[in-house]
Amino acid sequence: MLKLWSMKQEQQKADNATSGPKKKKVTAAQLRVQKDLSELSLGSTMKTTFPNPDDILNFVLTIEPDEGMYKGGRFSFNFAINQNFPHDPPKVKCKEKIYHPNIDLEGNVCLNILREDWKPVLNLNAVIVGLQFLFLEPNASDPLNKDAAEDLKSNREGFKRNVRAAMGGGSVRGESFERVLK
Amino acid sequence: MEEEFEESHRTVPKPKGMADPEARRWEYLRYILYRPGPWVPEEATQGTEAVKFLERMKVLVIGAGGLGCEILKNLALSGFKDIHVIDMDTIDVSNLNRQFLFRQADVGKYKAEVAAKFVMNRVKGVSIEAYCGKIQDKDESYYKQFNIIVCGLDSVEARRWINATLVDMVDLEDGDSIKPLVDGGTEGFKGQTRVIIPSFTACIECQLELNAPRAAVPLCTLATIPRQPQHCIEWAHIIAWEEERKGDTLDTDDPEHITWLYQKAAKRAAEFNITGVTYSMTQGVVKNIIPAIASTNAIIAASCCNEAFKIATAMNPSLGAPAEGENNYMMYSGDDGVYTYTYSYEKKEDCPVCGITAKKIEVDGEMYLRNFMDLLAEMPDAQLKKPTIRTEGQSLYYQAPASLEEATRHNLSKKLSELLSSGDEVAVSDPAYTIDFRFQLIFK
Ligand SMILES: [Zn+2]
């Protein structure tokens, strides 16, 4: 057997090492989320809510855009992070029904870093910045809600009106929306 | 050169009892163990002792799939006699092309069980104990019995789990608590073998960035312009299931679930004039089965067993051996010709798994959390002035974000004994440090 024990051990020994019955350790995913949370820059337009403060892997992010077409609305996103984070990206869904080219009526979000461009070196702040950007620059070329994307592409002013109508709790193209205006 | 070899070959003492067929069977293996080669350290045992030592080694093989079949076969043929294997999966028809320990009649049976039986029948004198279940079902007391662990897994999550478990088991006062982990992985024509000596070498978590998440297709492509049959399957998996079967947890081993997805995907494919959606393709996409190539598996498994053999016998330097230049990672690519590169993956100082060992500190259980935090700020080696602190199950105090600070603030005026029990571990982060700290709190 490889003589592990006779080899030079550089680490601190004995007096520092823990012993006794092992207790559950804070997991690598929890540690990473803890670090990411401490580095969030939420500004005045965003806030987080933790339904269970002991569980930092599940929380809600609320965004209240203060400029752009969605100004004055309040949108919340469920963040569900698994123990394979940061290998796996967080799962993010919009809780309100929204008229947006990159968010479908079920709340699925088309944001590259939530899926194809996710890397373990990215953090939660990058995701939050990405979400914020979706409200400033809805993108008709990555459509998840095809109708909304067509609308934005063909008639920007008309799209804007439809966004306001949807946010006010009206209906657009036969689909009714809930009121999200503050 | 050849003559020299012949010469030294002749000087090898012939193992006794060569007339015995069992001894003849292992004749060449014994040459290796009887002959002192240039790399053999002085303290290594040789001869009969070495053979006995190898036979007593208890090896755990995690995974009995493409890599696992090869690994079990190689270990048994290399002279290991006490082998255990864990796998939770059952045999599917699509496994038969490369998982050569399985036959048509085995479809539906547990991989670990069938593989163990097959190898035991084939290689006399080998004992293989199968456990058909999850690695997470077992705890430290189980993993503690092994000398070496060889992994042939296809899941990053399972690798991270066994890695964290093995690192956590290291007790610096007990050399036996250090379990070398030989990890093999393949993806198409590429693969890697790495050896992790917990607390000595880089661990799996240190190397997490190497695991490129699989190439995913943008959600909007799936939703609006699918071009390939796989896009329709992913759509059924991610979007249709969520919409139509909300609340139903998708079980990728449930044939009814796979059939449902298959039918949804086929219907969608027809709408977009895409052909090629099949049941087994659905299964492959949903279970994220990476196309496996038999020869890549064979090469990586051989390399893993080579390392396990060297670790067990000390006859030659293995990957990860701290004294030998510290190479611990071998990457292989058969994409274009053959390419291998062996190097040292550096241990990360701020690795959340192996970078921090819990420090034991004695505290008064009657102390308030607020005062404990003052104590952290005054510690001579790391002054944690803005600590965020939690246990595995509880957020004790968070400096940020605001909502979490508010939700945990009331804990500051609670006694430690109200929040946790003696011996519990807390993890502390502080913006002034990139690494986190772990403490085991012992009440005075
Ligand atoms: Zn590590």
Side-chain angles (χ1 to χ4, degrees), chain B residues 65-82:
Chain B
L67 274 170
C69 281
E70 292 275 355
I71 291 169
L72 286 168
K73 175 259 293 176
N74 289 348
L75 290 177
L77 295 177
S78 306
F80 287 95
K81 295 249 187 286
D82 189 359

Side-chain angles (χ1 to χ4, degrees), chain A residues 84-160:
Chain A
N84 210 17
F85 183 80
H87 178 73
D88 289 355
K91 279 208 165 79
V92 176
K93 276 194 126 178
C94 185
K95 290 174 75 175
E96 294 83 15
K97 198 168 172 183
I98 177 174
Y99 187 68
H100 192 294
N102 312 114
I103 302 174
D104 71 13
L105 300 176
E106 293 293 319
N108 294 304
V109 182
C110 187
L111 180 63
N112 62 337
I113 57 168
L114 282 177
R115 207 173 138 75
E116 67 273 15
D117 291 331
W118 173 257
K119 290 178 193 68
V121 291
L122 290 172
N123 60 14
L124 291 176
N125 210 49
V127 173
I128 286 173
V129 169
L131 289 176
Q132 210 177 6
F133 191 70
L134 282 183
F135 287 108
L136 296 180
E137 290 289 336
N139 172 1
S141 56
D142 291 336
L144 206 52
N145 179 337
K146 220 174 170 178
D147 292 339
E150 291 295 329
D151 194 12
L152 172 61
K153 223 185 278 180
S154 58
N155 176 1
R156 201 177 164 87
E157 284 310 309
F159 173 77
K160 265 188 194 170

Side-chain angles (χ1 to χ4, degrees), chain B residues 153-184:
Chain B
L153 286 163
D154 57 6
S155 136
V156 175
E157 198 172 357
R159 278 201 184 91
R160 289 177 73 187
W161 188 88
I162 188 69
N163 176 65
T165 304
L166 296 182
V167 171
D168 199 24
M169 270 164 63
V170 173
D171 171 356
L172 297 180
E173 285 168 86
D174 173 12
D176 283 342
S177 70
I178 301 167
K179 311 291 181 190
L181 170 69
V182 183
D183 177 60

